[in-house]
Amino acid sequence: MKNRRPLPALFTARAALVLAWAALLSVPAFAGQTHSAVPGGEVRLEGPVKAGQPVKAVFDLKGYALPAGAYAAINVEFTAHPEGAKPEVRPGYPETVMTFDRPGTYSVLLLLNEISKGSCGGVSAKPLLDAELDVDVAP
């Protein structure tokens, strides 16, 4: 019988639950606006907004730097999109790349959180920016 170590698996499961809970708590109170914990923070789209072409969502935190040991977590959710459309997303910070496979209007919720480990083995999530964008994709 193999010697199994349940403690690392429990820590991983706990960390996943904490991150999921933090993401749920960071959803904006109302759509259609950008909310930023960093003064002046914003997200903008760069590139042609055409079906099949990559578009960059660029997060600009106006000089704010993540503290040592912290990293950025990006969540992208499509709250409305043309029927059957499944946009491809490559999340990243400071740029997230989205490719829309069909023309039409999409509503995109972008969440940027700062994730760091606590001294007692847990994790901490700090919402930095959230935005809901309406994107009109051309053919």
Side-chain angles (χ1 to χ4, degrees):
M1 178 179 232
K2 283 186 173 183
N3 182 11
R4 296 187 183 216
R5 303 181 90 186
L7 210 47
L10 289 173
F11 176 75
T12 302
R14 179 180 174 204
L17 288 172
V18 168
L19 286 173
W21 183 253
L24 286 173
L25 292 178
S26 66
V27 174
F30 48 94
Q33 295 189 13
T34 298
H35 303 278
S36 179
V38 178
E42 64 183 8
V43 62
R44 67 183 178 279
L45 296 182
E46 291 183 355
V49 186
K50 293 182 178 180
Q53 297 293 317
V55 177
K56 291 180 184 177
V58 180
F59 296 92
D60 184 357
L61 297 181
K62 305 299 182 193
Y64 177 82
L66 295 172
Y71 64 92
I74 307 294
N75 294 315
V76 179
E77 179 183 333
F78 292 91
T79 56
H81 55 81
E83 187 173 331
K86 295 222 175 192
E88 181 183 322
V89 177
R90 191 177 68 224
Y93 175 78
E95 298 175 349
T96 290
V97 178
M98 300 177 288
T99 304
F100 302 93
D101 63 346
R102 295 184 183 184
T105 301
Y106 295 75
S107 290
V108 185
L109 179 62
L110 299 161
L111 303 169
L112 169 61
N113 294 305
E114 178 183 300
I115 307 297
S116 59
K117 293 182 180 179
S119 62
C120 297
V123 294
S124 173
K126 174 183 173 184
L128 294 179
L129 185 140
D130 59 67
E132 185 162 347
L133 306 175
D134 291 325
V135 181
D136 292 318
V137 178

